[in-house]
Structure formats: structure tokens, C-alpha cells
Amino acid sequence: KGPVFPVAEQGMKFPSYETAMLTFDSAHHRLPDTVTELALQMSLQRAMKSMPDKARPAILAELRQLHEMNVLEPVQYDSLTIEEKKACIRAFLFLKDKFTADGTFDKFKGRLVANKKTQGFSTTAQETMDPSSPTVDFLTACLIINLICLRKMKTAIIDVKGAYLNALINELVYIILDPTTAAIFVEEYPVYKPMLRRDGSLCCRVRRALYGLPQSGKLWYLHLKETLVELGYTCQQEHDKCLFTCIKPDGSTGYILVYVDDLLLAADTDAELDRIITWSSLQTIPASLCPRRATSPTSSSATTFPSRRKRAVPALQSS
């Protein structure tokens, strides 16, 4: 829960470009997609050799999350058909170093991703499909922020942990875990040890939208859209697919802006914010939102932004 937007206290009619960009910047969530970026990430093997006490907890945290959310289902590779074996996707786990506000090393964050270049899609299918997750338009964001400041609405920023993994995948997809990752996985879950291949790798069926799969972004957006509609919000897809609105019988309004796994929630009342947050916490599968609610517009801290380095927690899960 953080402070209100600074434009409210400074009396600015419109939010500045810097204000909007700081609010919706999510570059730190983007997976590495170039050789240069990948070179900046610490490889799994190097991390295990140089800082095993830091690397291992991060690796286990990622693998446990995948197992607890039923993302991966280990299978016998020999049970697959020839076509399924050819379509198997190589997966890799990389570690990204996280730093505190003063620039000192804090911890590693692990992420298992599929190598989309090895996925068994035809060239035609790759060219025609639209797998991306839409993001809120900049002008839409400026407009809603201006309305928030004008009406002095209550706000909360929601950061979704493992966003894509909340969406179910609707096709047969298999990945191959490399021997190093597979060894750590079966050490944590020995029941899968007999499924290891001769080279030490492990074949798994993907049950949820794993990072790196071309269709994962779109699946996550569709899952999030369905969830927000269940909460009574309407997607303004004629204007912006990432703008959701809700108007109550008493005239109070709620807005939700979506930028992949970052959500900006605004409402006229605290009750509306609490309704969404509480609804999430009551789900069967442990799930919650990570709100950073704004303080009163008269607060002395209204000129500062909430830290984007705060811990994220799981989002709404599929049943």
C-alpha cells in the first residue's frame, strides 16, 4: 500500500510524462530476449559453483512454485509418440540477480522458461497467430490517472507473481528439463526419479502457460479478463482491451488498468478496493493480490511513489 499520485498534491491538471512512465514501467518484468541480455543473467551452472548458498534457494523456490501450481507433470519420455517427441521443447532455468535500493546484492530470482524457437509450430501458424498479451495504451493511462487525481480516488497497485502460470494451457505441450535442473527437481521430489532419461534430463507435460511459450501471454490475458468480469468489471475492448470499468448502483466507479502482470486499481470507495482484495484471499487455492493502497490525498507522503521492489505474491488462480 503506497501513497497517492504526486500530481494530486502538486495541483497539476494533467500527469507529467515522467509520472505516467514511472507508474506503468514494467521493463524489469520482461524476460531476456537477446543474446546481450542473456549474457547479463547468471547461468545456472555458474551460480551453483560460485554462490550455491544463494543460488539453490532461488532454484528451489521456482521449482516448488511450478510443482505446487501444477505447471509441470513429469512423464516417461518413452511413452510419447514420435510426433510428440519431435515437438518437445527444451527449457532452461536462469537466475537473475536482485539488488536492494542502495545497490547491494540481495538475492537471486529463478525463472524456468521454454525455448520458443524449438516449439513445434509450423511457420504459417507462427505468422498468423497473435499470442501477445495486450497492454494499456499510454493515452488511456494518462486519461485514467487524470481522472483519479481529479476525483481523488482510492488506489492500489497490484503486482502479480508468476502471472502466466495462473492460466491453463489448452493443448499438448512437452518440455525437456536439462540434467542440472532435473537433478535438483528429483532431489526435491524423489517420486519422479524413475522418469529421468539416460542423459539425466526429464520430460514434463506443461499444464499451465509457462514463460517462453508463444501462446502464454495471450492465455494469461484471457484468464485475467475472465477473472475481472467475474468481479463485475466490464472490458472496454472497443476503446482499450486493458481498461476495465465498474459502475455501482450508487454511482461510485472503479477502474482497473492492465499492463501484463501489473494492475492499477482505482475506486471511489475503500469498500470497492477491499471487495476485490478480499475476494482473492478467499479462493480455494491460496491466492491473493499484492495491493499498495494510497494514503489520504492530504498525506505528507503524497509526493513519493510506492517502491516497485516490494515482494509480489500470487495472483488469482484457475480453479
Side-chain angles (χ1 to χ4, degrees):
K1 299 180 181 180
V4 297
F5 293 97
V7 290
E9 277 298 301
Q10 295 172 3
M12 297 170 60
K13 186 175 182 180
F14 297 97
S16 66
Y17 176 81
E18 291 79 10
T19 296
M21 291 305 292
L22 280 173
T23 305
F24 291 96
D25 172 38
S26 64
H28 61 289
H29 288 296
R30 182 168 51 87
L31 289 175
D33 52 10
T34 65
V35 175
T36 303
E37 287 183 278
L38 283 173
L40 298 177
Q41 314 299 337
M42 179 165 285
S43 70
L44 178 63
Q45 293 81 2
R46 184 156 61 92
M48 287 297 291
K49 290 181 180 179
S50 60
M51 289 186 286
D53 58 324
K54 297 284 187 180
R56 190 173 184 81
I59 297 169
L60 287 175
E62 174 68 3
L63 295 178
R64 285 169 182 163
Q65 176 183 240
L66 296 173
H67 184 264
E68 292 170 1
M69 295 182 68
N70 298 316
V71 178
L72 302 179
E73 177 189 344
V75 298
Q76 290 284 359
Y77 181 77
D78 294 337
S79 66
L80 274 58
T81 64
I82 297 177
E83 290 75 17
E84 290 172 339
K85 290 179 179 179
K86 291 180 179 180
C88 283
I89 307 166
R90 294 286 173 179
F92 63 93
L93 195 154
F94 70 90
L95 296 174
K96 182 176 182 179
D97 42 1
K98 294 287 186 177
F99 298 91
T100 59
D102 59 5
T104 59
F105 176 79
D106 182 26
K107 62 179 180 179
F108 284 125
K109 179 181 179 180
R111 177 73 77 193
L112 181 74
V113 298
N115 184 0
K116 60 184 178 182
K117 294 182 179 180
T118 63
Q119 187 162 6
F121 286 134
S122 64
T123 304
T124 304
Q126 293 185 46
E127 293 175 350
T128 57
M129 69 185 299
D130 179 20
S132 61
S133 174
T135 56
V136 64
D137 184 79
F138 179 71
L139 293 180
T140 301
C142 289
L143 175 62
I144 297 301
I145 290 177
N146 188 47
L147 287 173
I148 292 172
C149 299
L150 181 65
R151 300 176 60 173
K152 296 185 178 180
M153 301 176 74
K154 316 295 183 180
T155 62
I157 294 176
I158 298 170
D159 189 10
V160 182
K161 178 182 178 182
Y164 287 11
L165 306 181
N166 293 284
L168 296 173
I169 199 165
N170 53 7
E171 57 185 296
L172 279 175
V173 177
Y174 295 94
I175 64 169
I176 302 294
L177 298 181
D178 65 271
T180 303
T181 305
I184 298 175
F185 184 81
V186 298
E187 183 179 343
E188 183 70 12
Y189 305 103
V191 67
Y192 300 121
K193 190 171 183 179
M195 298 183 182
L196 288 174
R197 301 171 65 194
R198 292 182 179 180
D199 62 356
S201 61
L202 181 65
C203 181
C204 300
R205 179 180 176 180
V206 181
R207 293 288 186 178
R208 292 178 179 267
L210 184 68
Y211 286 88
L213 297 179
Q215 65 270 47
S216 292
K218 192 59 168 288
L219 291 174
W220 155 245
Y221 169 76
L222 294 176
H223 168 69
L224 178 62
K225 178 182 176 181
E226 180 181 354
T227 301
L228 295 179
V229 169
E230 289 177 358
L231 286 171
Y233 280 76
T234 301
C235 178
Q236 303 297 327
Q237 54 189 9
E238 294 183 0
H239 307 287
D240 195 319
K241 293 181 179 180
C242 293
L243 170 61
F244 294 81
T245 62
C246 179
I247 302 178
K248 296 292 184 180
D250 61 0
S252 61
T253 305
Y255 299 119
I256 297 180
L257 297 180
V258 178
Y259 197 111
V260 189
D261 58 354
D262 289 320
L263 279 65
L264 172 62
L265 173 64
D268 289 324
T269 63
D270 282 318
E272 177 60 16
L273 295 184
D274 292 336
R275 182 178 72 91
I276 298 177
I277 297 168
T278 302
W279 185 90
S280 171
S281 64
L282 294 177
Q283 297 307 293
T284 303
I285 300 176
S288 59
L289 301 180
C290 181
R292 296 194 285 275
R293 176 130 6 126
T295 59
S296 168
T298 59
S299 171
S300 60
S301 63
T303 57
T304 60
F305 277 92
S307 170
R308 296 302 299 271
R309 294 184 179 273
K310 289 190 176 181
R311 181 180 63 89
V313 295
L316 306 176
Q317 305 282 344
S318 298
S319 57

PDB file of all heavy atoms in Angstrom, residues 209-234:
ATOM      1  N   ALA A 209       0.401 -22.023 -18.556  1.00  0.00           N
ATOM      2  CA  ALA A 209       1.089 -21.161 -19.518  1.00  0.00           C
ATOM      3  C   ALA A 209       2.502 -20.833 -19.036  1.00  0.00           C
ATOM      4  O   ALA A 209       2.722 -19.816 -18.371  1.00  0.00           O
ATOM      5  CB  ALA A 209       0.286 -19.877 -19.739  1.00  0.00           C
ATOM      6  N   LEU A 210       3.429 -21.669 -19.388  1.00  0.00           N
ATOM      7  CA  LEU A 210       4.825 -21.493 -18.978  1.00  0.00           C
ATOM      8  C   LEU A 210       5.457 -20.326 -19.724  1.00  0.00           C
ATOM      9  O   LEU A 210       5.192 -20.111 -20.911  1.00  0.00           O
ATOM     10  CB  LEU A 210       5.607 -22.778 -19.252  1.00  0.00           C
ATOM     11  CG  LEU A 210       7.065 -22.816 -18.794  1.00  0.00           C
ATOM     12  CD1 LEU A 210       7.141 -22.812 -17.275  1.00  0.00           C
ATOM     13  CD2 LEU A 210       7.761 -24.056 -19.354  1.00  0.00           C
ATOM     14  N   TYR A 211       6.288 -19.571 -19.018  1.00  0.00           N
ATOM     15  CA  TYR A 211       7.009 -18.474 -19.654  1.00  0.00           C
ATOM     16  C   TYR A 211       7.850 -18.997 -20.814  1.00  0.00           C
ATOM     17  O   TYR A 211       8.483 -20.042 -20.710  1.00  0.00           O
ATOM     18  CB  TYR A 211       7.903 -17.757 -18.641  1.00  0.00           C
ATOM     19  CG  TYR A 211       7.147 -16.888 -17.675  1.00  0.00           C
ATOM     20  CD1 TYR A 211       6.641 -17.408 -16.487  1.00  0.00           C
ATOM     21  CD2 TYR A 211       6.917 -15.541 -17.956  1.00  0.00           C
ATOM     22  CE1 TYR A 211       5.927 -16.607 -15.592  1.00  0.00           C
ATOM     23  CE2 TYR A 211       6.203 -14.729 -17.080  1.00  0.00           C
ATOM     24  CZ  TYR A 211       5.714 -15.275 -15.895  1.00  0.00           C
ATOM     25  OH  TYR A 211       5.011 -14.484 -15.030  1.00  0.00           O
ATOM     26  N   GLY A 212       7.866 -18.267 -21.898  1.00  0.00           N
ATOM     27  CA  GLY A 212       8.637 -18.657 -23.069  1.00  0.00           C
ATOM     28  C   GLY A 212       7.797 -19.270 -24.163  1.00  0.00           C
ATOM     29  O   GLY A 212       8.197 -19.246 -25.327  1.00  0.00           O
ATOM     30  N   LEU A 213       6.641 -19.813 -23.838  1.00  0.00           N
ATOM     31  CA  LEU A 213       5.749 -20.357 -24.863  1.00  0.00           C
ATOM     32  C   LEU A 213       5.053 -19.198 -25.578  1.00  0.00           C
ATOM     33  O   LEU A 213       4.569 -18.267 -24.929  1.00  0.00           O
ATOM     34  CB  LEU A 213       4.707 -21.290 -24.244  1.00  0.00           C
ATOM     35  CG  LEU A 213       5.238 -22.548 -23.559  1.00  0.00           C
ATOM     36  CD1 LEU A 213       4.073 -23.349 -22.968  1.00  0.00           C
ATOM     37  CD2 LEU A 213       6.018 -23.407 -24.530  1.00  0.00           C
ATOM     38  N   PRO A 214       4.975 -19.246 -26.907  1.00  0.00           N
ATOM     39  CA  PRO A 214       4.391 -18.114 -27.648  1.00  0.00           C
ATOM     40  C   PRO A 214       2.972 -17.772 -27.230  1.00  0.00           C
ATOM     41  O   PRO A 214       2.578 -16.613 -27.233  1.00  0.00           O
ATOM     42  CB  PRO A 214       4.434 -18.608 -29.105  1.00  0.00           C
ATOM     43  CG  PRO A 214       5.527 -19.616 -29.135  1.00  0.00           C
ATOM     44  CD  PRO A 214       5.500 -20.293 -27.795  1.00  0.00           C
ATOM     45  N   GLN A 215       2.180 -18.765 -26.839  1.00  0.00           N
ATOM     46  CA  GLN A 215       0.781 -18.521 -26.531  1.00  0.00           C
ATOM     47  C   GLN A 215       0.532 -18.102 -25.086  1.00  0.00           C
ATOM     48  O   GLN A 215      -0.601 -17.755 -24.718  1.00  0.00           O
ATOM     49  CB  GLN A 215      -0.059 -19.770 -26.843  1.00  0.00           C
ATOM     50  CG  GLN A 215       0.263 -20.986 -25.993  1.00  0.00           C
ATOM     51  CD  GLN A 215       1.340 -21.870 -26.596  1.00  0.00           C
ATOM     52  OE1 GLN A 215       2.372 -21.365 -27.037  1.00  0.00           O
ATOM     53  NE2 GLN A 215       1.100 -23.164 -26.622  1.00  0.00           N
ATOM     54  N   SER A 216       1.543 -18.121 -24.246  1.00  0.00           N
ATOM     55  CA  SER A 216       1.344 -17.891 -22.815  1.00  0.00           C
ATOM     56  C   SER A 216       0.824 -16.490 -22.493  1.00  0.00           C
ATOM     57  O   SER A 216      -0.037 -16.318 -21.630  1.00  0.00           O
ATOM     58  CB  SER A 216       2.651 -18.144 -22.054  1.00  0.00           C
ATOM     59  OG  SER A 216       2.982 -19.506 -22.084  1.00  0.00           O
ATOM     60  N   GLY A 217       1.343 -15.480 -23.180  1.00  0.00           N
ATOM     61  CA  GLY A 217       0.916 -14.117 -22.913  1.00  0.00           C
ATOM     62  C   GLY A 217      -0.576 -13.929 -23.149  1.00  0.00           C
ATOM     63  O   GLY A 217      -1.281 -13.323 -22.336  1.00  0.00           O
ATOM     64  N   LYS A 218      -1.067 -14.462 -24.259  1.00  0.00           N
ATOM     65  CA  LYS A 218      -2.487 -14.313 -24.575  1.00  0.00           C
ATOM     66  C   LYS A 218      -3.348 -15.112 -23.608  1.00  0.00           C
ATOM     67  O   LYS A 218      -4.432 -14.645 -23.193  1.00  0.00           O
ATOM     68  CB  LYS A 218      -2.726 -14.794 -26.019  1.00  0.00           C
ATOM     69  CG  LYS A 218      -4.095 -14.429 -26.565  1.00  0.00           C
ATOM     70  CD  LYS A 218      -4.301 -12.926 -26.562  1.00  0.00           C
ATOM     71  CE  LYS A 218      -5.533 -12.511 -27.364  1.00  0.00           C
ATOM     72  NZ  LYS A 218      -5.305 -12.675 -28.810  1.00  0.00           N
ATOM     73  N   LEU A 219      -2.898 -16.310 -23.241  1.00  0.00           N
ATOM     74  CA  LEU A 219      -3.657 -17.130 -22.297  1.00  0.00           C
ATOM     75  C   LEU A 219      -3.788 -16.432 -20.948  1.00  0.00           C
ATOM     76  O   LEU A 219      -4.836 -16.490 -20.299  1.00  0.00           O
ATOM     77  CB  LEU A 219      -2.990 -18.495 -22.127  1.00  0.00           C
ATOM     78  CG  LEU A 219      -3.048 -19.432 -23.337  1.00  0.00           C
ATOM     79  CD1 LEU A 219      -2.234 -20.687 -23.071  1.00  0.00           C
ATOM     80  CD2 LEU A 219      -4.485 -19.796 -23.674  1.00  0.00           C
ATOM     81  N   TRP A 220      -2.694 -15.774 -20.510  1.00  0.00           N
ATOM     82  CA  TRP A 220      -2.748 -15.047 -19.245  1.00  0.00           C
ATOM     83  C   TRP A 220      -3.758 -13.904 -19.318  1.00  0.00           C
ATOM     84  O   TRP A 220      -4.558 -13.698 -18.405  1.00  0.00           O
ATOM     85  CB  TRP A 220      -1.371 -14.503 -18.873  1.00  0.00           C
ATOM     86  CG  TRP A 220      -1.408 -13.296 -17.983  1.00  0.00           C
ATOM     87  CD1 TRP A 220      -0.994 -12.033 -18.280  1.00  0.00           C
ATOM     88  CD2 TRP A 220      -1.921 -13.228 -16.642  1.00  0.00           C
ATOM     89  NE1 TRP A 220      -1.209 -11.188 -17.228  1.00  0.00           N
ATOM     90  CE2 TRP A 220      -1.776 -11.898 -16.199  1.00  0.00           C
ATOM     91  CE3 TRP A 220      -2.482 -14.163 -15.767  1.00  0.00           C
ATOM     92  CZ2 TRP A 220      -2.169 -11.471 -14.944  1.00  0.00           C
ATOM     93  CZ3 TRP A 220      -2.887 -13.737 -14.510  1.00  0.00           C
ATOM     94  CH2 TRP A 220      -2.721 -12.413 -14.109  1.00  0.00           C
ATOM     95  N   TYR A 221      -3.749 -13.152 -20.413  1.00  0.00           N
ATOM     96  CA  TYR A 221      -4.682 -12.031 -20.543  1.00  0.00           C
ATOM     97  C   TYR A 221      -6.131 -12.522 -20.528  1.00  0.00           C
ATOM     98  O   TYR A 221      -6.993 -11.931 -19.858  1.00  0.00           O
ATOM     99  CB  TYR A 221      -4.421 -11.255 -21.830  1.00  0.00           C
ATOM    100  CG  TYR A 221      -5.512 -10.259 -22.137  1.00  0.00           C
ATOM    101  CD1 TYR A 221      -5.611  -9.047 -21.443  1.00  0.00           C
ATOM    102  CD2 TYR A 221      -6.486 -10.548 -23.105  1.00  0.00           C
ATOM    103  CE1 TYR A 221      -6.639  -8.159 -21.702  1.00  0.00           C
ATOM    104  CE2 TYR A 221      -7.514  -9.657 -23.365  1.00  0.00           C
ATOM    105  CZ  TYR A 221      -7.585  -8.467 -22.664  1.00  0.00           C
ATOM    106  OH  TYR A 221      -8.611  -7.594 -22.910  1.00  0.00           O
ATOM    107  N   LEU A 222      -6.424 -13.600 -21.251  1.00  0.00           N
ATOM    108  CA  LEU A 222      -7.791 -14.123 -21.295  1.00  0.00           C
ATOM    109  C   LEU A 222      -8.237 -14.600 -19.918  1.00  0.00           C
ATOM    110  O   LEU A 222      -9.396 -14.415 -19.523  1.00  0.00           O
ATOM    111  CB  LEU A 222      -7.881 -15.265 -22.312  1.00  0.00           C
ATOM    112  CG  LEU A 222      -7.655 -14.867 -23.783  1.00  0.00           C
ATOM    113  CD1 LEU A 222      -7.664 -16.105 -24.660  1.00  0.00           C
ATOM    114  CD2 LEU A 222      -8.714 -13.869 -24.239  1.00  0.00           C
ATOM    115  N   HIS A 223      -7.307 -15.217 -19.166  1.00  0.00           N
ATOM    116  CA  HIS A 223      -7.624 -15.662 -17.810  1.00  0.00           C
ATOM    117  C   HIS A 223      -7.900 -14.468 -16.901  1.00  0.00           C
ATOM    118  O   HIS A 223      -8.867 -14.468 -16.124  1.00  0.00           O
ATOM    119  CB  HIS A 223      -6.466 -16.490 -17.249  1.00  0.00           C
ATOM    120  CG  HIS A 223      -6.570 -16.745 -15.773  1.00  0.00           C
ATOM    121  ND1 HIS A 223      -7.531 -17.560 -15.229  1.00  0.00           N
ATOM    122  CD2 HIS A 223      -5.854 -16.258 -14.730  1.00  0.00           C
ATOM    123  CE1 HIS A 223      -7.394 -17.587 -13.906  1.00  0.00           C
ATOM    124  NE2 HIS A 223      -6.380 -16.801 -13.587  1.00  0.00           N
ATOM    125  N   LEU A 224      -7.066 -13.442 -16.992  1.00  0.00           N
ATOM    126  CA  LEU A 224      -7.252 -12.245 -16.174  1.00  0.00           C
ATOM    127  C   LEU A 224      -8.559 -11.544 -16.531  1.00  0.00           C
ATOM    128  O   LEU A 224      -9.308 -11.100 -15.651  1.00  0.00           O
ATOM    129  CB  LEU A 224      -6.072 -11.291 -16.365  1.00  0.00           C
ATOM    130  CG  LEU A 224      -6.144  -9.967 -15.599  1.00  0.00           C
ATOM    131  CD1 LEU A 224      -6.179 -10.212 -14.097  1.00  0.00           C
ATOM    132  CD2 LEU A 224      -4.970  -9.074 -15.970  1.00  0.00           C
ATOM    133  N   LYS A 225      -8.855 -11.457 -17.816  1.00  0.00           N
ATOM    134  CA  LYS A 225     -10.090 -10.811 -18.262  1.00  0.00           C
ATOM    135  C   LYS A 225     -11.307 -11.538 -17.701  1.00  0.00           C
ATOM    136  O   LYS A 225     -12.250 -10.903 -17.203  1.00  0.00           O
ATOM    137  CB  LYS A 225     -10.138 -10.806 -19.796  1.00  0.00           C
ATOM    138  CG  LYS A 225     -11.410 -10.206 -20.372  1.00  0.00           C
ATOM    139  CD  LYS A 225     -11.403 -10.277 -21.896  1.00  0.00           C
ATOM    140  CE  LYS A 225     -12.713  -9.754 -22.464  1.00  0.00           C
ATOM    141  NZ  LYS A 225     -12.719  -9.844 -23.957  1.00  0.00           N
ATOM    142  N   GLU A 226     -11.293 -12.859 -17.777  1.00  0.00           N
ATOM    143  CA  GLU A 226     -12.410 -13.646 -17.244  1.00  0.00           C
ATOM    144  C   GLU A 226     -12.577 -13.416 -15.744  1.00  0.00           C
ATOM    145  O   GLU A 226     -13.700 -13.307 -15.225  1.00  0.00           O
ATOM    146  CB  GLU A 226     -12.174 -15.128 -17.529  1.00  0.00           C
ATOM    147  CG  GLU A 226     -13.273 -16.049 -17.025  1.00  0.00           C
ATOM    148  CD  GLU A 226     -12.980 -17.509 -17.300  1.00  0.00           C
ATOM    149  OE1 GLU A 226     -11.977 -17.799 -17.983  1.00  0.00           O
ATOM    150  OE2 GLU A 226     -13.746 -18.370 -16.822  1.00  0.00           O
ATOM    151  N   THR A 227     -11.452 -13.332 -15.036  1.00  0.00           N
ATOM    152  CA  THR A 227     -11.492 -13.110 -13.587  1.00  0.00           C
ATOM    153  C   THR A 227     -12.098 -11.757 -13.249  1.00  0.00           C
ATOM    154  O   THR A 227     -12.947 -11.645 -12.359  1.00  0.00           O
ATOM    155  CB  THR A 227     -10.079 -13.207 -13.001  1.00  0.00           C
ATOM    156  OG1 THR A 227      -9.539 -14.496 -13.271  1.00  0.00           O
ATOM    157  CG2 THR A 227     -10.091 -12.976 -11.490  1.00  0.00           C
ATOM    158  N   LEU A 228     -11.662 -10.710 -13.956  1.00  0.00           N
ATOM    159  CA  LEU A 228     -12.166  -9.370 -13.676  1.00  0.00           C
ATOM    160  C   LEU A 228     -13.644  -9.234 -14.034  1.00  0.00           C
ATOM    161  O   LEU A 228     -14.396  -8.529 -13.354  1.00  0.00           O
ATOM    162  CB  LEU A 228     -11.344  -8.331 -14.443  1.00  0.00           C
ATOM    163  CG  LEU A 228      -9.865  -8.224 -14.029  1.00  0.00           C
ATOM    164  CD1 LEU A 228      -9.148  -7.179 -14.867  1.00  0.00           C
ATOM    165  CD2 LEU A 228      -9.740  -7.904 -12.549  1.00  0.00           C
ATOM    166  N   VAL A 229     -14.087  -9.919 -15.086  1.00  0.00           N
ATOM    167  CA  VAL A 229     -15.503  -9.899 -15.453  1.00  0.00           C
ATOM    168  C   VAL A 229     -16.334 -10.555 -14.360  1.00  0.00           C
ATOM    169  O   VAL A 229     -17.434 -10.097 -14.027  1.00  0.00           O
ATOM    170  CB  VAL A 229     -15.724 -10.594 -16.811  1.00  0.00           C
ATOM    171  CG1 VAL A 229     -17.206 -10.811 -17.078  1.00  0.00           C
ATOM    172  CG2 VAL A 229     -15.110  -9.766 -17.935  1.00  0.00           C
ATOM    173  N   GLU A 230     -15.798 -11.639 -13.774  1.00  0.00           N
ATOM    174  CA  GLU A 230     -16.498 -12.288 -12.670  1.00  0.00           C
ATOM    175  C   GLU A 230     -16.650 -11.350 -11.474  1.00  0.00           C
ATOM    176  O   GLU A 230     -17.592 -11.476 -10.688  1.00  0.00           O
ATOM    177  CB  GLU A 230     -15.747 -13.551 -12.237  1.00  0.00           C
ATOM    178  CG  GLU A 230     -15.827 -14.693 -13.242  1.00  0.00           C
ATOM    179  CD  GLU A 230     -15.016 -15.898 -12.801  1.00  0.00           C
ATOM    180  OE1 GLU A 230     -14.364 -15.808 -11.735  1.00  0.00           O
ATOM    181  OE2 GLU A 230     -15.036 -16.916 -13.506  1.00  0.00           O
ATOM    182  N   LEU A 231     -15.730 -10.416 -11.348  1.00  0.00           N
ATOM    183  CA  LEU A 231     -15.788  -9.448 -10.253  1.00  0.00           C
ATOM    184  C   LEU A 231     -16.730  -8.282 -10.545  1.00  0.00           C
ATOM    185  O   LEU A 231     -16.877  -7.387  -9.718  1.00  0.00           O
ATOM    186  CB  LEU A 231     -14.387  -8.904  -9.969  1.00  0.00           C
ATOM    187  CG  LEU A 231     -13.429  -9.855  -9.259  1.00  0.00           C
ATOM    188  CD1 LEU A 231     -12.024  -9.271  -9.240  1.00  0.00           C
ATOM    189  CD2 LEU A 231     -13.898 -10.128  -7.844  1.00  0.00           C
ATOM    190  N   GLY A 232     -17.352  -8.296 -11.727  1.00  0.00           N
ATOM    191  CA  GLY A 232     -18.311  -7.251 -12.058  1.00  0.00           C
ATOM    192  C   GLY A 232     -17.758  -6.133 -12.911  1.00  0.00           C
ATOM    193  O   GLY A 232     -18.435  -5.114 -13.104  1.00  0.00           O
ATOM    194  N   TYR A 233     -16.550  -6.302 -13.436  1.00  0.00           N
ATOM    195  CA  TYR A 233     -15.952  -5.279 -14.273  1.00  0.00           C
ATOM    196  C   TYR A 233     -16.220  -5.559 -15.756  1.00  0.00           C
ATOM    197  O   TYR A 233     -16.336  -6.709 -16.165  1.00  0.00           O
ATOM    198  CB  TYR A 233     -14.447  -5.185 -14.018  1.00  0.00           C
ATOM    199  CG  TYR A 233     -14.116  -4.388 -12.773  1.00  0.00           C
ATOM    200  CD1 TYR A 233     -14.287  -4.947 -11.516  1.00  0.00           C
ATOM    201  CD2 TYR A 233     -13.688  -3.076 -12.859  1.00  0.00           C
ATOM    202  CE1 TYR A 233     -14.021  -4.218 -10.368  1.00  0.00           C
ATOM    203  CE2 TYR A 233     -13.405  -2.338 -11.725  1.00  0.00           C
ATOM    204  CZ  TYR A 233     -13.589  -2.915 -10.484  1.00  0.00           C
ATOM    205  OH  TYR A 233     -13.330  -2.183  -9.356  1.00  0.00           O
ATOM    206  N   THR A 234     -16.286  -4.500 -16.527  1.00  0.00           N
ATOM    207  CA  THR A 234     -16.535  -4.603 -17.962  1.00  0.00           C
ATOM    208  C   THR A 234     -15.296  -4.196 -18.734  1.00  0.00           C
ATOM    209  O   THR A 234     -14.698  -3.149 -18.450  1.00  0.00           O
ATOM    210  CB  THR A 234     -17.705  -3.690 -18.383  1.00  0.00           C
ATOM    211  OG1 THR A 234     -18.883  -4.063 -17.649  1.00  0.00           O
ATOM    212  CG2 THR A 234     -17.974  -3.808 -19.871  1.00  0.00           C
TER     213      THR A 234
END
